[in-house]
Amino acid sequence: MSLTYVLAIDQGTTNTKVLAVNVQGVVVAQASRPVTVTYPQPGWVEANGEQIWQSVRAAMADVLVQMQGAAPVAVGISNQRESVLVWDRKTGKPLGPVVVWQCRRTADVCERLRHQGWAPKLHQSTGLQIDPLFSATKLRWLLDHIPQAATRAAAGDLAAGTMDSWLLWNLTGGASHATDVSNASRTQLLGLADRHWQPELLDVFGVPAQVLPQLQSSCGVFGHTVAASGLPAGVPITALIADSHAALFAQGGHSAHGIKATYGTGSSLLTPTAALTFSRHGLSSTVAWQVAGVPTYALEGNIAISGAVVDWLSRLLFGDDPEAVSRVAALAATVENSGGVYLVPAFVGLGAPHWNTDARGVICGLTRGTGPAQLARAALEAVAYQVKDVLTAMEAEQGEAFGAVWADGGASRNNQLMQFQADLVDRPVVRAQATDLSALGAAYLAGLGCGLWADLQALQAFSLDRERFAPRMPPAQRERLYSGWQLALRRACLSGP
């Protein structure tokens, strides 16, 4: 087979996807593998670094078989953000678990930092709130709990990084230890203004500089592959980018102002900004991507539990049934509303724009008429209410209303959710028909990085098929429903320790 294509790896929280994308921007092969996530204690979330790498190898091998042995011209990586791992530089073996972005094990450390008065300084430097979501306290926890890790890290014997760095290390046989600034901006160790690791921040979190990856733009040569799983040696790896940022890039955020909502295990709303902006409304500032040394900044709202609430309810109602999630969606479709039931999925606290670590999940509005269908509907609606909270904060920050919301991610496949979202925010929700936008964004950047496409303008020829959901809910109903959600939120904030 003679075909010019880019291989894109999207390493997510619960699965790894690999795509082959041709010069016309079309997906010509794809494969996926599940990733196991474990919960060893309440609030703790872990994965296994070796298993993540094996999921990449297996999915990659499937795609290369479909491509009949044709080698890609470049590799791009998008990845779950904030999740962090420590490994031995000599053996390449992980020395502990992947502490996943959802994990709350460092909540006490974050609380101590807040009491010490670090919140304003950290926000002004990193654009982030003090919260267990971000990588710095997770990395410190690993260094504290792996035997002799702190000493070995300071001596340069250990490497640490987010999943892009881990995959890059393995793809290059340990030759490259690097990350891009979009992923680095989620660690709380990067200064946004100069986009460098900050010595003061390293001191605050007790992270030795020797353990951290080299910083690079989001596209460019990060290294070259060693032969693995059908992938030949010598293929350049030319893009690393955080998954939500990659989805915004694929949606067209590189050429137009807009707002993107990714509906996954958690949710992320991102909007590019003309310049670096530090939020006054509970949002994060971040580097969306950097091309040719020029950064694009963005405002973001992170929601820890969105699609995951449906997974939780599916296990509660249907146990280990492999069709459990689909059964919850089908149940929700049997009723027109939740019957006044609200489900606030503050299982690990609340993220943007509330940032309340102590909040806990609540279900309220129950009556004798409440059944599984109403609970299923309330779980879906909880996703939309949380997106509405963030969108409201973003409009307050920007001082203007947004137009249509670009939607992507697995949970966006649910028509009932998309229609309720459009009704709730009173504007169109435009869903990308492509299901793998993070991988597409990584492919586009990798193609730029290897010269397959000349510039950002060349990407504008790649049009995404989209489906539009227009609002149709009466204003009085919208206001009544959202008022009920705000009351439920207050109850969630009162139910913590």
Side-chain angles (χ1 to χ4, degrees):
M1 176 182 287
S2 177
L3 178 63
T4 301
Y5 74 96
V6 171
L7 190 75
I9 299 166
D10 176 33
Q11 202 299 294
T13 311
T14 56
N15 61 73
T16 294
K17 300 176 184 178
V18 177
L19 309 183
V21 179
N22 70 13
V23 71
Q24 288 79 37
V26 176
V27 177
V28 292
Q30 56 188 310
S32 66
R33 287 291 188 279
V35 170
T36 301
V37 179
T38 58
Y39 308 90
Q41 295 185 32
W44 289 33
V45 189
E46 295 181 355
N48 181 286
E50 289 280 18
Q51 196 252 341
I52 285 175
W53 169 232
Q54 292 307 317
S55 75
V56 171
R57 291 192 62 162
M60 192 167 62
D62 278 0
V63 167
L64 292 166
V65 168
Q66 294 174 56
M67 301 308 294
Q68 300 178 26
V73 296
V75 175
I77 298 170
S78 65
N79 58 282
Q80 56 172 302
R81 304 177 305 167
E82 296 106 11
S83 302
V84 69
L85 178 66
V86 173
W87 63 95
D88 188 303
R89 287 186 184 272
K90 183 177 292 186
T91 67
K93 298 298 183 183
L95 297 178
V98 175
V99 182
V100 175
W101 58 274
Q102 294 170 309
C103 188
R104 312 300 288 183
R105 72 185 64 191
T106 61
D108 57 338
V109 177
C110 292
E111 189 61 30
R112 184 164 64 249
L113 289 170
R114 278 190 289 270
H115 284 158
Q116 291 172 351
W118 280 104
K121 172 66 177 178
L122 290 173
H123 182 253
Q124 192 60 32
S125 180
T126 70
L128 306 175
Q129 309 289 330
I130 295 178
D131 191 83
L133 170 66
F134 305 113
S135 308
T137 58
K138 301 178 192 300
L139 177 51
R140 184 64 244 176
W141 187 93
L142 285 167
L143 294 177
D144 285 340
H145 289 81
I146 296 168
Q148 300 182 327
T151 301
R152 296 186 65 201
D157 295 336
L158 306 184
T162 44
M163 292 305 95
D164 57 317
S165 297
W166 171 238
L167 298 187
L168 178 68
W169 176 276
N170 283 283
L171 286 166
T172 62
S176 295
H177 183 214
T179 190
D180 92 299
V181 291
S182 75
N183 278 293
S185 72
R186 309 300 298 173
T187 63
Q188 211 155 42
L189 299 172
L190 186 88
L192 286 190
D194 64 6
R195 301 176 307 286
H196 292 308
W197 300 125
Q198 297 296 303
E200 182 180 11
L201 299 179
L202 300 186
D203 287 343
V204 169
F205 291 101
V207 174
Q210 296 89 328
V211 81
L212 294 174
Q214 177 187 354
L215 291 165
Q216 295 185 212
S217 289
S218 304
C219 68
V221 178
F222 288 85
H224 292 81
T225 62
V226 294
S229 303
L231 183 67
V235 179
I237 299 164
T238 56
L240 302 182
I241 184 170
D243 54 6
S244 191
H245 307 221
L248 176 63
F249 192 87
Q251 286 271 31
H254 55 82
S255 61
H257 175 72
I259 185 167
K260 180 265 334 175
T262 294
Y263 297 80
T265 305
S267 285
S268 161
L269 275 73
L270 266 174
T271 183
T273 55
L276 174 57
T277 301
F278 292 99
S279 173
R280 299 162 297 157
H281 295 86
L283 304 172
S284 299
S285 302
T286 192
V287 181
W289 49 78
Q290 183 169 295
V291 176
V294 179
T296 295
Y297 291 103
L299 285 173
E300 179 172 19
N302 301 103
I303 299 165
I305 301 291
S306 55
V309 67
V310 178
D311 179 67
W312 169 80
L313 185 62
S314 72
R315 287 185 283 109
L316 188 69
L317 295 178
F318 304 116
D320 294 329
D321 184 342
E323 300 300 320
V325 171
S326 297
R327 292 178 68 182
V328 169
L331 266 179
T334 64
V335 292
E336 292 185 0
N337 56 64
S338 67
V341 176
Y342 290 89
L343 195 169
V344 182
F347 303 148
V348 291
L350 290 169
H354 314 289
W355 297 109
N356 187 325
T357 301
D358 291 334
R360 289 295 178 265
V362 299
I363 301 173
C364 56
L366 298 173
T367 69
R368 286 179 64 90
T370 300
Q374 286 75 25
L375 288 175
R377 175 77 190 212
L380 277 183
E381 290 182 352
V383 177
Y385 283 124
Q386 292 181 100
V387 169
K388 162 73 171 173
D389 289 344
V390 173
L391 181 63
T392 300
M394 282 190 164
E395 289 185 335
E397 193 72 54
Q398 298 287 71
E400 60 180 1
F402 290 100
V405 175
W406 298 334
D408 61 70
S412 73
R413 298 298 97 196
N414 187 295
N415 289 347
Q416 188 179 34
L417 172 59
M418 292 295 96
Q419 184 58 59
F420 186 73
Q421 187 73 83
D423 289 339
L424 196 62
V425 300
D426 194 25
R427 72 204 63 211
V429 172
V430 183
R431 178 177 66 192
Q433 293 295 79
T435 58
D436 302 313
L437 287 185
S438 293
L440 274 177
Y444 293 166
L445 280 163
L448 286 175
C450 73
L452 183 61
W453 299 300
D455 50 33
L456 291 172
Q457 285 68 39
L459 301 179
Q460 295 179 29
F462 302 155
S463 60
L464 292 174
D465 292 332
R466 302 179 191 267
E467 187 172 1
R468 185 181 182 90
F469 295 83
R472 59 193 187 199
M473 183 180 287
Q477 182 182 0
R478 180 184 309 115
E479 292 169 9
R480 176 176 56 79
L481 289 174
Y482 192 53
S483 293
W485 167 255
Q486 291 171 310
L487 177 60
L489 272 179
R490 289 195 290 275
R491 289 173 173 165
C493 292
L494 290 173
S495 62

